[in-house]
Amino acid sequence: MHTGEQYHQFFLTSPPDRAVRDRFQNLVLDLLPEGADVLDFGAGTGIDAKAYAARGHLTFVYEPSESMRAHLTHYCHDEITSKTIVSVPSPLACRVQAVTANFAVLNHFADHTLLFEEMSRVVQPGGFVLASMLNPYYLGDARYGWWRSNIINLLLKGRYAIASESRIHRFRPRVVARAAAPHFRLERLIPHGFGLATDLYMFLLFRRI
Ligand SMILES: C[S@@+](CC[C@H](N)C(=O)[O-])C[C@H]1O[C@@H](n2cnc3c(N)ncnc32)[C@H](O)[C@@H]1O
């Protein structure tokens, strides 16, 4: 089990993860209207929240893990003091233009129906949810027995979970999109086509209807 601090150090120093994070943050900042408020859902140690706040976005953070939250409080001390980052006890405590969920937060859920229903009360019409999720088609995982033994589940059911990975669930994008309807429409999937074989993470952009 990571402590918040171990997680933080690892993610800030791992070049491939930093590259994925940069792409995610850039996409969020491109999509967010100037001055729009954002909720970082499953904010971890506050790495993304700090970047959004630095660009003038009031950033709410929701993070259930005490250890992650403790490190976020330390790392984002100045922004919390100046109230440009605000920690919320529930996502329902804010109303925003966008919700972000970077690095597999949504893979902790077995089903996303209730989550998106909740998000429909948080995200204003026309706003968005951007999630970075583990890509179930990533061929780099084909060296693992769990990947090969779950291919059938993926194709037939569109989802599976492996107990040894703390019940991290993997989903076909279409399954998440179905759970998001009728409140959200899947607007973009990055990468798509052959790129789905080569990237560990996929970004799903949902637009609030
Ligand atoms: C791999 S970390 C990503 C943290 C952060 N988003 C980042 O980009 O560094 C996954 C996060 O999901 C959070 N998480 C797990 N279950 C959750 C839930 N039910 N609701 C919200 N966040 C959850 C964990 O506490 C953890 O901080």
Side-chain angles (χ1 to χ4, degrees), residues 28 32 36-43 49 52 57-63 86-88 90-102 118-119 122-123 128-130:
V28 172
L32 268 180
D37 300 348
V38 58
L39 164 67
D40 193 2
F41 179 71
Y52 305 148
H57 298 287
L58 170 60
T59 304
F60 296 93
V61 287
Y62 171 70
E63 173 48 61
V86 176
S87 181
V88 286
S90 154
L92 294 171
C94 58
R95 189 133 167 85
V96 291
Q97 187 72 23
V99 172
T100 58
N102 198 2
E118 196 166 276
M119 290 303 156
V122 174
V123 179
F128 66 88
V129 171
L130 182 68

PDB file of all heavy atoms in Angstrom, residues 28 32 36-43 49 52 57-63 86-88 90-102 118-119 122-123 128-130:
ATOM      1  N   VAL A  28      -7.346  19.251 -20.208  1.00  0.00           N
ATOM      2  CA  VAL A  28      -8.276  19.907 -19.278  1.00  0.00           C
ATOM      3  C   VAL A  28      -8.194  21.421 -19.454  1.00  0.00           C
ATOM      4  O   VAL A  28      -9.219  22.113 -19.589  1.00  0.00           O
ATOM      5  CB  VAL A  28      -7.933  19.536 -17.811  1.00  0.00           C
ATOM      6  CG1 VAL A  28      -8.755  20.372 -16.834  1.00  0.00           C
ATOM      7  CG2 VAL A  28      -8.156  18.045 -17.566  1.00  0.00           C
ATOM      8  N   LEU A  32     -11.318  23.839 -20.539  1.00  0.00           N
ATOM      9  CA  LEU A  32     -11.959  24.676 -19.511  1.00  0.00           C
ATOM     10  C   LEU A  32     -12.075  26.120 -19.980  1.00  0.00           C
ATOM     11  O   LEU A  32     -11.068  26.723 -20.344  1.00  0.00           O
ATOM     12  CB  LEU A  32     -11.107  24.672 -18.243  1.00  0.00           C
ATOM     13  CG  LEU A  32     -11.380  23.635 -17.155  1.00  0.00           C
ATOM     14  CD1 LEU A  32     -10.401  23.837 -16.010  1.00  0.00           C
ATOM     15  CD2 LEU A  32     -12.816  23.715 -16.662  1.00  0.00           C
ATOM     16  N   ALA A  36     -13.274  29.116 -15.217  1.00  0.00           N
ATOM     17  CA  ALA A  36     -14.291  28.136 -14.813  1.00  0.00           C
ATOM     18  C   ALA A  36     -13.803  27.304 -13.622  1.00  0.00           C
ATOM     19  O   ALA A  36     -12.615  27.029 -13.484  1.00  0.00           O
ATOM     20  CB  ALA A  36     -14.599  27.208 -15.997  1.00  0.00           C
ATOM     21  N   ASP A  37     -14.751  26.905 -12.784  1.00  0.00           N
ATOM     22  CA  ASP A  37     -14.422  26.095 -11.614  1.00  0.00           C
ATOM     23  C   ASP A  37     -14.370  24.619 -11.992  1.00  0.00           C
ATOM     24  O   ASP A  37     -15.091  24.161 -12.878  1.00  0.00           O
ATOM     25  CB  ASP A  37     -15.486  26.284 -10.522  1.00  0.00           C
ATOM     26  CG  ASP A  37     -15.598  27.731 -10.071  1.00  0.00           C
ATOM     27  OD1 ASP A  37     -14.716  28.536 -10.431  1.00  0.00           O
ATOM     28  OD2 ASP A  37     -16.572  28.046  -9.361  1.00  0.00           O
ATOM     29  N   VAL A  38     -13.532  23.877 -11.272  1.00  0.00           N
ATOM     30  CA  VAL A  38     -13.339  22.463 -11.586  1.00  0.00           C
ATOM     31  C   VAL A  38     -13.296  21.659 -10.284  1.00  0.00           C
ATOM     32  O   VAL A  38     -12.858  22.177  -9.256  1.00  0.00           O
ATOM     33  CB  VAL A  38     -12.035  22.281 -12.432  1.00  0.00           C
ATOM     34  CG1 VAL A  38     -10.805  22.806 -11.729  1.00  0.00           C
ATOM     35  CG2 VAL A  38     -11.812  20.840 -12.857  1.00  0.00           C
ATOM     36  N   LEU A  39     -13.775  20.422 -10.367  1.00  0.00           N
ATOM     37  CA  LEU A  39     -13.638  19.486  -9.245  1.00  0.00           C
ATOM     38  C   LEU A  39     -12.663  18.399  -9.668  1.00  0.00           C
ATOM     39  O   LEU A  39     -12.882  17.735 -10.686  1.00  0.00           O
ATOM     40  CB  LEU A  39     -14.995  18.848  -8.901  1.00  0.00           C
ATOM     41  CG  LEU A  39     -14.925  17.589  -8.017  1.00  0.00           C
ATOM     42  CD1 LEU A  39     -14.435  17.915  -6.597  1.00  0.00           C
ATOM     43  CD2 LEU A  39     -16.303  16.898  -7.945  1.00  0.00           C
ATOM     44  N   ASP A  40     -11.588  18.219  -8.901  1.00  0.00           N
ATOM     45  CA  ASP A  40     -10.695  17.091  -9.153  1.00  0.00           C
ATOM     46  C   ASP A  40     -11.162  15.955  -8.244  1.00  0.00           C
ATOM     47  O   ASP A  40     -10.987  15.994  -7.026  1.00  0.00           O
ATOM     48  CB  ASP A  40      -9.232  17.488  -8.876  1.00  0.00           C
ATOM     49  CG  ASP A  40      -8.259  16.444  -9.424  1.00  0.00           C
ATOM     50  OD1 ASP A  40      -8.732  15.450 -10.036  1.00  0.00           O
ATOM     51  OD2 ASP A  40      -7.036  16.600  -9.240  1.00  0.00           O
ATOM     52  N   PHE A  41     -11.781  14.954  -8.869  1.00  0.00           N
ATOM     53  CA  PHE A  41     -12.409  13.847  -8.148  1.00  0.00           C
ATOM     54  C   PHE A  41     -11.367  12.730  -7.976  1.00  0.00           C
ATOM     55  O   PHE A  41     -10.816  12.245  -8.955  1.00  0.00           O
ATOM     56  CB  PHE A  41     -13.609  13.359  -8.976  1.00  0.00           C
ATOM     57  CG  PHE A  41     -14.348  12.207  -8.371  1.00  0.00           C
ATOM     58  CD1 PHE A  41     -15.128  12.380  -7.235  1.00  0.00           C
ATOM     59  CD2 PHE A  41     -14.267  10.942  -8.935  1.00  0.00           C
ATOM     60  CE1 PHE A  41     -15.815  11.308  -6.672  1.00  0.00           C
ATOM     61  CE2 PHE A  41     -14.952   9.868  -8.389  1.00  0.00           C
ATOM     62  CZ  PHE A  41     -15.734  10.054  -7.253  1.00  0.00           C
ATOM     63  N   GLY A  42     -11.115  12.330  -6.712  1.00  0.00           N
ATOM     64  CA  GLY A  42     -10.029  11.375  -6.456  1.00  0.00           C
ATOM     65  C   GLY A  42      -8.706  12.083  -6.709  1.00  0.00           C
ATOM     66  O   GLY A  42      -7.841  11.600  -7.441  1.00  0.00           O
ATOM     67  N   ALA A  43      -8.563  13.242  -6.052  1.00  0.00           N
ATOM     68  CA  ALA A  43      -7.472  14.181  -6.373  1.00  0.00           C
ATOM     69  C   ALA A  43      -6.092  13.704  -5.950  1.00  0.00           C
ATOM     70  O   ALA A  43      -5.083  14.324  -6.312  1.00  0.00           O
ATOM     71  CB  ALA A  43      -7.763  15.536  -5.719  1.00  0.00           C
ATOM     72  N   ALA A  49      -4.536  19.419  -9.163  1.00  0.00           N
ATOM     73  CA  ALA A  49      -5.265  20.548  -8.572  1.00  0.00           C
ATOM     74  C   ALA A  49      -4.371  21.782  -8.516  1.00  0.00           C
ATOM     75  O   ALA A  49      -4.792  22.895  -8.845  1.00  0.00           O
ATOM     76  CB  ALA A  49      -5.754  20.171  -7.176  1.00  0.00           C
ATOM     77  N   TYR A  52      -4.189  23.343 -11.964  1.00  0.00           N
ATOM     78  CA  TYR A  52      -5.414  24.042 -12.389  1.00  0.00           C
ATOM     79  C   TYR A  52      -5.549  25.363 -11.621  1.00  0.00           C
ATOM     80  O   TYR A  52      -5.919  26.387 -12.206  1.00  0.00           O
ATOM     81  CB  TYR A  52      -6.660  23.179 -12.166  1.00  0.00           C
ATOM     82  CG  TYR A  52      -6.594  21.817 -12.824  1.00  0.00           C
ATOM     83  CD1 TYR A  52      -7.218  20.703 -12.266  1.00  0.00           C
ATOM     84  CD2 TYR A  52      -5.881  21.632 -14.011  1.00  0.00           C
ATOM     85  CE1 TYR A  52      -7.142  19.460 -12.866  1.00  0.00           C
ATOM     86  CE2 TYR A  52      -5.797  20.381 -14.616  1.00  0.00           C
ATOM     87  CZ  TYR A  52      -6.427  19.293 -14.034  1.00  0.00           C
ATOM     88  OH  TYR A  52      -6.349  18.058 -14.616  1.00  0.00           O
ATOM     89  N   HIS A  57      -8.130  28.677 -12.032  1.00  0.00           N
ATOM     90  CA  HIS A  57      -9.393  27.959 -11.847  1.00  0.00           C
ATOM     91  C   HIS A  57      -9.589  27.627 -10.369  1.00  0.00           C
ATOM     92  O   HIS A  57      -8.716  26.963  -9.774  1.00  0.00           O
ATOM     93  CB  HIS A  57      -9.401  26.660 -12.663  1.00  0.00           C
ATOM     94  CG  HIS A  57      -9.279  26.899 -14.138  1.00  0.00           C
ATOM     95  ND1 HIS A  57     -10.317  27.403 -14.890  1.00  0.00           N
ATOM     96  CD2 HIS A  57      -8.229  26.762 -14.986  1.00  0.00           C
ATOM     97  CE1 HIS A  57      -9.917  27.545 -16.142  1.00  0.00           C
ATOM     98  NE2 HIS A  57      -8.650  27.164 -16.229  1.00  0.00           N
ATOM     99  N   LEU A  58     -10.691  28.070  -9.807  1.00  0.00           N
ATOM    100  CA  LEU A  58     -11.028  27.635  -8.458  1.00  0.00           C
ATOM    101  C   LEU A  58     -11.182  26.112  -8.520  1.00  0.00           C
ATOM    102  O   LEU A  58     -11.961  25.592  -9.333  1.00  0.00           O
ATOM    103  CB  LEU A  58     -12.337  28.294  -8.000  1.00  0.00           C
ATOM    104  CG  LEU A  58     -12.925  27.750  -6.692  1.00  0.00           C
ATOM    105  CD1 LEU A  58     -11.956  27.928  -5.513  1.00  0.00           C
ATOM    106  CD2 LEU A  58     -14.254  28.444  -6.393  1.00  0.00           C
ATOM    107  N   THR A  59     -10.411  25.397  -7.707  1.00  0.00           N
ATOM    108  CA  THR A  59     -10.348  23.943  -7.834  1.00  0.00           C
ATOM    109  C   THR A  59     -10.814  23.270  -6.544  1.00  0.00           C
ATOM    110  O   THR A  59     -10.190  23.422  -5.494  1.00  0.00           O
ATOM    111  CB  THR A  59      -8.909  23.509  -8.176  1.00  0.00           C
ATOM    112  OG1 THR A  59      -8.494  24.201  -9.367  1.00  0.00           O
ATOM    113  CG2 THR A  59      -8.829  22.010  -8.429  1.00  0.00           C
ATOM    114  N   PHE A  60     -11.930  22.547  -6.656  1.00  0.00           N
ATOM    115  CA  PHE A  60     -12.403  21.746  -5.531  1.00  0.00           C
ATOM    116  C   PHE A  60     -11.711  20.386  -5.622  1.00  0.00           C
ATOM    117  O   PHE A  60     -11.457  19.880  -6.723  1.00  0.00           O
ATOM    118  CB  PHE A  60     -13.917  21.568  -5.602  1.00  0.00           C
ATOM    119  CG  PHE A  60     -14.672  22.866  -5.460  1.00  0.00           C
ATOM    120  CD1 PHE A  60     -15.053  23.590  -6.584  1.00  0.00           C
ATOM    121  CD2 PHE A  60     -14.976  23.372  -4.199  1.00  0.00           C
ATOM    122  CE1 PHE A  60     -15.733  24.802  -6.457  1.00  0.00           C
ATOM    123  CE2 PHE A  60     -15.650  24.584  -4.069  1.00  0.00           C
ATOM    124  CZ  PHE A  60     -16.023  25.293  -5.191  1.00  0.00           C
ATOM    125  N   VAL A  61     -11.399  19.819  -4.462  1.00  0.00           N
ATOM    126  CA  VAL A  61     -10.789  18.489  -4.464  1.00  0.00           C
ATOM    127  C   VAL A  61     -11.606  17.565  -3.570  1.00  0.00           C
ATOM    128  O   VAL A  61     -12.001  17.954  -2.473  1.00  0.00           O
ATOM    129  CB  VAL A  61      -9.305  18.504  -3.992  1.00  0.00           C
ATOM    130  CG1 VAL A  61      -8.409  19.110  -5.055  1.00  0.00           C
ATOM    131  CG2 VAL A  61      -9.112  19.249  -2.673  1.00  0.00           C
ATOM    132  N   TYR A  62     -11.856  16.364  -4.098  1.00  0.00           N
ATOM    133  CA  TYR A  62     -12.476  15.316  -3.285  1.00  0.00           C
ATOM    134  C   TYR A  62     -11.519  14.129  -3.290  1.00  0.00           C
ATOM    135  O   TYR A  62     -11.132  13.645  -4.370  1.00  0.00           O
ATOM    136  CB  TYR A  62     -13.840  14.893  -3.861  1.00  0.00           C
ATOM    137  CG  TYR A  62     -14.378  13.671  -3.156  1.00  0.00           C
ATOM    138  CD1 TYR A  62     -14.823  13.770  -1.837  1.00  0.00           C
ATOM    139  CD2 TYR A  62     -14.366  12.419  -3.762  1.00  0.00           C
ATOM    140  CE1 TYR A  62     -15.269  12.633  -1.162  1.00  0.00           C
ATOM    141  CE2 TYR A  62     -14.813  11.296  -3.097  1.00  0.00           C
ATOM    142  CZ  TYR A  62     -15.262  11.413  -1.795  1.00  0.00           C
ATOM    143  OH  TYR A  62     -15.683  10.300  -1.117  1.00  0.00           O
ATOM    144  N   GLU A  63     -11.104  13.682  -2.107  1.00  0.00           N
ATOM    145  CA  GLU A  63     -10.156  12.562  -2.018  1.00  0.00           C
ATOM    146  C   GLU A  63     -10.489  11.736  -0.766  1.00  0.00           C
ATOM    147  O   GLU A  63     -10.367  12.231   0.348  1.00  0.00           O
ATOM    148  CB  GLU A  63      -8.700  13.102  -1.943  1.00  0.00           C
ATOM    149  CG  GLU A  63      -7.646  12.056  -1.671  1.00  0.00           C
ATOM    150  CD  GLU A  63      -7.755  10.826  -2.548  1.00  0.00           C
ATOM    151  OE1 GLU A  63      -7.653  10.932  -3.768  1.00  0.00           O
ATOM    152  OE2 GLU A  63      -7.963   9.714  -1.986  1.00  0.00           O
ATOM    153  N   VAL A  86     -10.073  24.078  -2.676  1.00  0.00           N
ATOM    154  CA  VAL A  86     -11.004  23.873  -1.564  1.00  0.00           C
ATOM    155  C   VAL A  86     -11.322  22.383  -1.473  1.00  0.00           C
ATOM    156  O   VAL A  86     -11.803  21.783  -2.440  1.00  0.00           O
ATOM    157  CB  VAL A  86     -12.315  24.671  -1.802  1.00  0.00           C
ATOM    158  CG1 VAL A  86     -13.326  24.388  -0.704  1.00  0.00           C
ATOM    159  CG2 VAL A  86     -12.024  26.169  -1.910  1.00  0.00           C
ATOM    160  N   SER A  87     -11.038  21.790  -0.320  1.00  0.00           N
ATOM    161  CA  SER A  87     -11.316  20.370  -0.125  1.00  0.00           C
ATOM    162  C   SER A  87     -12.782  20.203   0.259  1.00  0.00           C
ATOM    163  O   SER A  87     -13.282  20.922   1.122  1.00  0.00           O
ATOM    164  CB  SER A  87     -10.392  19.839   0.980  1.00  0.00           C
ATOM    165  OG  SER A  87     -10.622  18.467   1.157  1.00  0.00           O
ATOM    166  N   VAL A  88     -13.469  19.251  -0.406  1.00  0.00           N
ATOM    167  CA  VAL A  88     -14.894  19.036  -0.104  1.00  0.00           C
ATOM    168  C   VAL A  88     -15.094  17.619   0.451  1.00  0.00           C
ATOM    169  O   VAL A  88     -14.428  16.677   0.025  1.00  0.00           O
ATOM    170  CB  VAL A  88     -15.789  19.253  -1.366  1.00  0.00           C
ATOM    171  CG1 VAL A  88     -15.902  20.735  -1.689  1.00  0.00           C
ATOM    172  CG2 VAL A  88     -15.298  18.476  -2.571  1.00  0.00           C
ATOM    173  N   SER A  90     -17.709  15.807   0.078  1.00  0.00           N
ATOM    174  CA  SER A  90     -18.487  15.018  -0.892  1.00  0.00           C
ATOM    175  C   SER A  90     -18.465  15.786  -2.209  1.00  0.00           C
ATOM    176  O   SER A  90     -18.504  17.029  -2.191  1.00  0.00           O
ATOM    177  CB  SER A  90     -19.932  14.878  -0.401  1.00  0.00           C
ATOM    178  OG  SER A  90     -20.803  14.685  -1.494  1.00  0.00           O
ATOM    179  N   PRO A  91     -18.475  15.090  -3.340  1.00  0.00           N
ATOM    180  CA  PRO A  91     -18.531  15.803  -4.622  1.00  0.00           C
ATOM    181  C   PRO A  91     -19.767  16.686  -4.702  1.00  0.00           C
ATOM    182  O   PRO A  91     -19.758  17.732  -5.354  1.00  0.00           O
ATOM    183  CB  PRO A  91     -18.594  14.688  -5.666  1.00  0.00           C
ATOM    184  CG  PRO A  91     -18.187  13.448  -4.980  1.00  0.00           C
ATOM    185  CD  PRO A  91     -18.379  13.635  -3.503  1.00  0.00           C
ATOM    186  N   LEU A  92     -20.839  16.277  -4.011  1.00  0.00           N
ATOM    187  CA  LEU A  92     -22.097  17.022  -4.085  1.00  0.00           C
ATOM    188  C   LEU A  92     -22.023  18.378  -3.399  1.00  0.00           C
ATOM    189  O   LEU A  92     -22.957  19.173  -3.499  1.00  0.00           O
ATOM    190  CB  LEU A  92     -23.232  16.195  -3.464  1.00  0.00           C
ATOM    191  CG  LEU A  92     -23.576  14.924  -4.241  1.00  0.00           C
ATOM    192  CD1 LEU A  92     -24.534  14.052  -3.455  1.00  0.00           C
ATOM    193  CD2 LEU A  92     -24.178  15.287  -5.598  1.00  0.00           C
ATOM    194  N   ALA A  93     -20.912  18.650  -2.750  1.00  0.00           N
ATOM    195  CA  ALA A  93     -20.765  19.933  -2.042  1.00  0.00           C
ATOM    196  C   ALA A  93     -20.339  21.064  -2.977  1.00  0.00           C
ATOM    197  O   ALA A  93     -20.136  22.183  -2.519  1.00  0.00           O
ATOM    198  CB  ALA A  93     -19.754  19.785  -0.912  1.00  0.00           C
ATOM    199  N   CYS A  94     -20.179  20.777  -4.273  1.00  0.00           N
ATOM    200  CA  CYS A  94     -19.817  21.876  -5.186  1.00  0.00           C
ATOM    201  C   CYS A  94     -20.598  21.747  -6.499  1.00  0.00           C
ATOM    202  O   CYS A  94     -21.168  20.687  -6.793  1.00  0.00           O
ATOM    203  CB  CYS A  94     -18.302  21.883  -5.459  1.00  0.00           C
ATOM    204  SG  CYS A  94     -17.656  20.375  -6.154  1.00  0.00           S
ATOM    205  N   ARG A  95     -20.589  22.835  -7.233  1.00  0.00           N
ATOM    206  CA  ARG A  95     -21.230  22.855  -8.568  1.00  0.00           C
ATOM    207  C   ARG A  95     -20.209  23.504  -9.490  1.00  0.00           C
ATOM    208  O   ARG A  95     -19.742  24.627  -9.224  1.00  0.00           O
ATOM    209  CB  ARG A  95     -22.521  23.676  -8.471  1.00  0.00           C
ATOM    210  CG  ARG A  95     -23.363  23.584  -9.695  1.00  0.00           C
ATOM    211  CD  ARG A  95     -24.835  23.311  -9.336  1.00  0.00           C
ATOM    212  NE  ARG A  95     -25.712  23.524 -10.492  1.00  0.00           N
ATOM    213  CZ  ARG A  95     -25.937  22.582 -11.409  1.00  0.00           C
ATOM    214  NH1 ARG A  95     -25.377  21.405 -11.299  1.00  0.00           N
ATOM    215  NH2 ARG A  95     -26.742  22.840 -12.422  1.00  0.00           N
ATOM    216  N   VAL A  96     -19.837  22.800 -10.552  1.00  0.00           N
ATOM    217  CA  VAL A  96     -18.676  23.212 -11.344  1.00  0.00           C
ATOM    218  C   VAL A  96     -18.945  23.052 -12.842  1.00  0.00           C
ATOM    219  O   VAL A  96     -19.914  22.418 -13.257  1.00  0.00           O
ATOM    220  CB  VAL A  96     -17.430  22.351 -10.969  1.00  0.00           C
ATOM    221  CG1 VAL A  96     -16.942  22.661  -9.565  1.00  0.00           C
ATOM    222  CG2 VAL A  96     -17.727  20.875 -11.139  1.00  0.00           C
ATOM    223  N   GLN A  97     -17.995  23.574 -13.616  1.00  0.00           N
ATOM    224  CA  GLN A  97     -18.048  23.436 -15.068  1.00  0.00           C
ATOM    225  C   GLN A  97     -17.495  22.077 -15.499  1.00  0.00           C
ATOM    226  O   GLN A  97     -17.885  21.542 -16.530  1.00  0.00           O
ATOM    227  CB  GLN A  97     -17.216  24.561 -15.690  1.00  0.00           C
ATOM    228  CG  GLN A  97     -17.295  24.669 -17.187  1.00  0.00           C
ATOM    229  CD  GLN A  97     -18.642  25.207 -17.651  1.00  0.00           C
ATOM    230  OE1 GLN A  97     -19.335  25.878 -16.890  1.00  0.00           O
ATOM    231  NE2 GLN A  97     -19.014  24.894 -18.878  1.00  0.00           N
ATOM    232  N   ALA A  98     -16.580  21.545 -14.698  1.00  0.00           N
ATOM    233  CA  ALA A  98     -15.926  20.302 -15.128  1.00  0.00           C
ATOM    234  C   ALA A  98     -15.472  19.474 -13.934  1.00  0.00           C
ATOM    235  O   ALA A  98     -15.106  20.005 -12.890  1.00  0.00           O
ATOM    236  CB  ALA A  98     -14.714  20.645 -15.992  1.00  0.00           C
ATOM    237  N   VAL A  99     -15.490  18.151 -14.154  1.00  0.00           N
ATOM    238  CA  VAL A  99     -14.939  17.209 -13.183  1.00  0.00           C
ATOM    239  C   VAL A  99     -13.815  16.454 -13.872  1.00  0.00           C
ATOM    240  O   VAL A  99     -13.977  15.980 -15.006  1.00  0.00           O
ATOM    241  CB  VAL A  99     -16.012  16.223 -12.682  1.00  0.00           C
ATOM    242  CG1 VAL A  99     -15.380  15.134 -11.817  1.00  0.00           C
ATOM    243  CG2 VAL A  99     -17.093  16.954 -11.895  1.00  0.00           C
ATOM    244  N   THR A 100     -12.672  16.355 -13.195  1.00  0.00           N
ATOM    245  CA  THR A 100     -11.566  15.587 -13.740  1.00  0.00           C
ATOM    246  C   THR A 100     -11.289  14.408 -12.806  1.00  0.00           C
ATOM    247  O   THR A 100     -11.475  14.518 -11.591  1.00  0.00           O
ATOM    248  CB  THR A 100     -10.291  16.446 -13.855  1.00  0.00           C
ATOM    249  OG1 THR A 100      -9.957  16.957 -12.564  1.00  0.00           O
ATOM    250  CG2 THR A 100     -10.504  17.608 -14.809  1.00  0.00           C
ATOM    251  N   ALA A 101     -10.859  13.292 -13.399  1.00  0.00           N
ATOM    252  CA  ALA A 101     -10.540  12.093 -12.605  1.00  0.00           C
ATOM    253  C   ALA A 101      -9.340  11.439 -13.284  1.00  0.00           C
ATOM    254  O   ALA A 101      -9.498  10.628 -14.201  1.00  0.00           O
ATOM    255  CB  ALA A 101     -11.737  11.160 -12.557  1.00  0.00           C
ATOM    256  N   ASN A 102      -8.164  11.826 -12.833  1.00  0.00           N
ATOM    257  CA  ASN A 102      -6.949  11.390 -13.530  1.00  0.00           C
ATOM    258  C   ASN A 102      -6.357  10.138 -12.884  1.00  0.00           C
ATOM    259  O   ASN A 102      -6.442   9.951 -11.674  1.00  0.00           O
ATOM    260  CB  ASN A 102      -5.915  12.538 -13.499  1.00  0.00           C
ATOM    261  CG  ASN A 102      -4.825  12.366 -14.546  1.00  0.00           C
ATOM    262  OD1 ASN A 102      -4.843  11.414 -15.327  1.00  0.00           O
ATOM    263  ND2 ASN A 102      -3.896  13.289 -14.574  1.00  0.00           N
ATOM    264  N   GLU A 118     -24.694  11.112  -9.857  1.00  0.00           N
ATOM    265  CA  GLU A 118     -24.219  12.105  -8.886  1.00  0.00           C
ATOM    266  C   GLU A 118     -23.513  13.262  -9.615  1.00  0.00           C
ATOM    267  O   GLU A 118     -23.730  14.432  -9.327  1.00  0.00           O
ATOM    268  CB  GLU A 118     -23.253  11.409  -7.917  1.00  0.00           C
ATOM    269  CG  GLU A 118     -22.985  12.167  -6.655  1.00  0.00           C
ATOM    270  CD  GLU A 118     -22.318  11.273  -5.610  1.00  0.00           C
ATOM    271  OE1 GLU A 118     -23.023  10.555  -4.887  1.00  0.00           O
ATOM    272  OE2 GLU A 118     -21.073  11.292  -5.529  1.00  0.00           O
ATOM    273  N   MET A 119     -22.687  12.902 -10.593  1.00  0.00           N
ATOM    274  CA  MET A 119     -21.948  13.935 -11.333  1.00  0.00           C
ATOM    275  C   MET A 119     -22.895  14.861 -12.113  1.00  0.00           C
ATOM    276  O   MET A 119     -22.581  16.024 -12.359  1.00  0.00           O
ATOM    277  CB  MET A 119     -20.950  13.302 -12.309  1.00  0.00           C
ATOM    278  CG  MET A 119     -19.777  12.637 -11.619  1.00  0.00           C
ATOM    279  SD  MET A 119     -18.902  13.806 -10.561  1.00  0.00           S
ATOM    280  CE  MET A 119     -18.128  12.732  -9.388  1.00  0.00           C
ATOM    281  N   VAL A 122     -23.509  17.763 -10.166  1.00  0.00           N
ATOM    282  CA  VAL A 122     -22.314  18.555  -9.854  1.00  0.00           C
ATOM    283  C   VAL A 122     -21.890  19.402 -11.063  1.00  0.00           C
ATOM    284  O   VAL A 122     -21.454  20.539 -10.914  1.00  0.00           O
ATOM    285  CB  VAL A 122     -21.156  17.605  -9.442  1.00  0.00           C
ATOM    286  CG1 VAL A 122     -19.865  18.367  -9.243  1.00  0.00           C
ATOM    287  CG2 VAL A 122     -21.523  16.828  -8.176  1.00  0.00           C
ATOM    288  N   VAL A 123     -22.031  18.827 -12.264  1.00  0.00           N
ATOM    289  CA  VAL A 123     -21.557  19.488 -13.489  1.00  0.00           C
ATOM    290  C   VAL A 123     -22.688  20.282 -14.146  1.00  0.00           C
ATOM    291  O   VAL A 123     -23.769  19.742 -14.385  1.00  0.00           O
ATOM    292  CB  VAL A 123     -21.026  18.438 -14.500  1.00  0.00           C
ATOM    293  CG1 VAL A 123     -20.564  19.110 -15.785  1.00  0.00           C
ATOM    294  CG2 VAL A 123     -19.903  17.633 -13.885  1.00  0.00           C
ATOM    295  N   PHE A 128     -18.308  19.271 -18.525  1.00  0.00           N
ATOM    296  CA  PHE A 128     -17.773  17.954 -18.900  1.00  0.00           C
ATOM    297  C   PHE A 128     -17.155  17.200 -17.724  1.00  0.00           C
ATOM    298  O   PHE A 128     -16.833  17.785 -16.690  1.00  0.00           O
ATOM    299  CB  PHE A 128     -16.746  18.098 -20.037  1.00  0.00           C
ATOM    300  CG  PHE A 128     -15.489  18.853 -19.662  1.00  0.00           C
ATOM    301  CD1 PHE A 128     -14.388  18.186 -19.115  1.00  0.00           C
ATOM    302  CD2 PHE A 128     -15.384  20.220 -19.879  1.00  0.00           C
ATOM    303  CE1 PHE A 128     -13.223  18.880 -18.790  1.00  0.00           C
ATOM    304  CE2 PHE A 128     -14.223  20.930 -19.552  1.00  0.00           C
ATOM    305  CZ  PHE A 128     -13.141  20.244 -19.007  1.00  0.00           C
ATOM    306  N   VAL A 129     -17.024  15.885 -17.955  1.00  0.00           N
ATOM    307  CA  VAL A 129     -16.231  15.017 -17.072  1.00  0.00           C
ATOM    308  C   VAL A 129     -15.118  14.453 -17.949  1.00  0.00           C
ATOM    309  O   VAL A 129     -15.384  13.924 -19.035  1.00  0.00           O
ATOM    310  CB  VAL A 129     -17.072  13.846 -16.505  1.00  0.00           C
ATOM    311  CG1 VAL A 129     -16.182  12.848 -15.774  1.00  0.00           C
ATOM    312  CG2 VAL A 129     -18.166  14.352 -15.566  1.00  0.00           C
ATOM    313  N   LEU A 130     -13.876  14.606 -17.500  1.00  0.00           N
ATOM    314  CA  LEU A 130     -12.763  13.978 -18.223  1.00  0.00           C
ATOM    315  C   LEU A 130     -12.109  12.959 -17.292  1.00  0.00           C
ATOM    316  O   LEU A 130     -11.677  13.298 -16.188  1.00  0.00           O
ATOM    317  CB  LEU A 130     -11.725  15.026 -18.657  1.00  0.00           C
ATOM    318  CG  LEU A 130     -10.560  14.442 -19.468  1.00  0.00           C
ATOM    319  CD1 LEU A 130     -11.020  13.942 -20.837  1.00  0.00           C
ATOM    320  CD2 LEU A 130      -9.435  15.458 -19.654  1.00  0.00           C
TER     321      LEU A 130
END
